[in-house]
Amino acid sequence: MRIILLGPPGSGKGTQADAIAEAYNLPLLTTGAMLRAAVEAGSDLGKQAKEYMASGALVPDELIIGVVLDRLAADDCAHGFLLDGFPRSLGQAEALDHMLHENQQSVAHVVQLDVPESDLLQRLAGRGRDDDNETTIRERLKVYQESTVPLIDYYSSRGVLRAIDGVGTVEEIRDRIRSVTDGTNA
Ligand code: AMP
């Protein structure tokens, strides 16, 4: 089962990603966490990504696409994976599709968590991450609108978009996601 989680910063993707990955025993690829680890480790990738992340901008496609596709080529991803935070631009979505297509594979579900902006601001303000200050939060929401929202149409036209109401308790949202993903071949 190949699943993508799509949603603005603060929509609860990370929390839900853990639950889905565990329920279906899928390798979880969280690009934000991968990048933060690279920054922490001071690797080349980390050095190049740092400023973009601190300002709330996206890391350029040419930096992130290779990292993700390499990871997806590993054995544990052969039968499925859960992507959290990727793709975030049309270029990333096309690169992923291209790779899957070459392997006669496809994405089963793009789960889109729908949360109103007022809720997002409240949730992000309470999270306390380095890039969760007000200026950066606004920038990340803007970047989401501009670069990532076009993916909703992209996946919708491919028949794999599953929009989920992302307002509610963690358990309610988990169950909404499960009602979409259950019954799919793992
Ligand atoms: P996140 O934890 O998903 O909010 O990601 C934190 C930051 O990492 C983002 O604000 C971006 O700067 C960067 N990032 C994470 N995933 C991607 C991606 N797929 N493409 C570009 N930048 C990314």
Side-chain angles (χ1 to χ4, degrees), residues 31-32 35-36 53 57-59 64 85-86 88 92 129 140:
T31 48
L35 288 166
R36 279 189 290 278
M53 295 172 73
L58 289 184
V59 167
I64 188 76
F86 184 97
R88 257 182 153 100
Q92 294 178 17
R129 223 170 65 186
R140 279 159 54 218

Side-chain angles (χ1 to χ4, degrees), residues 112-160:
Q112 179 217 339
L113 292 179
D114 210 0
V115 179
E117 186 157 314
S118 51
D119 292 47
L120 297 174
L121 289 170
Q122 220 171 17
R123 291 192 203 180
L124 288 164
R127 206 163 62 168
R129 223 170 65 186
D130 278 359
D131 57 351
D132 281 343
N133 63 73
E134 194 174 333
T135 319
T136 315
I137 288 173
R138 294 212 176 273
E139 181 61 20
R140 279 159 54 218
L141 290 173
K142 191 175 124 214
V143 165
Y144 180 78
Q145 285 300 325
E146 288 172 2
S147 301
T148 310
V149 164
L151 297 185
I152 295 174
D153 275 351
Y154 179 91
Y155 286 117
S156 178
S157 71
R158 284 160 177 75
V160 291

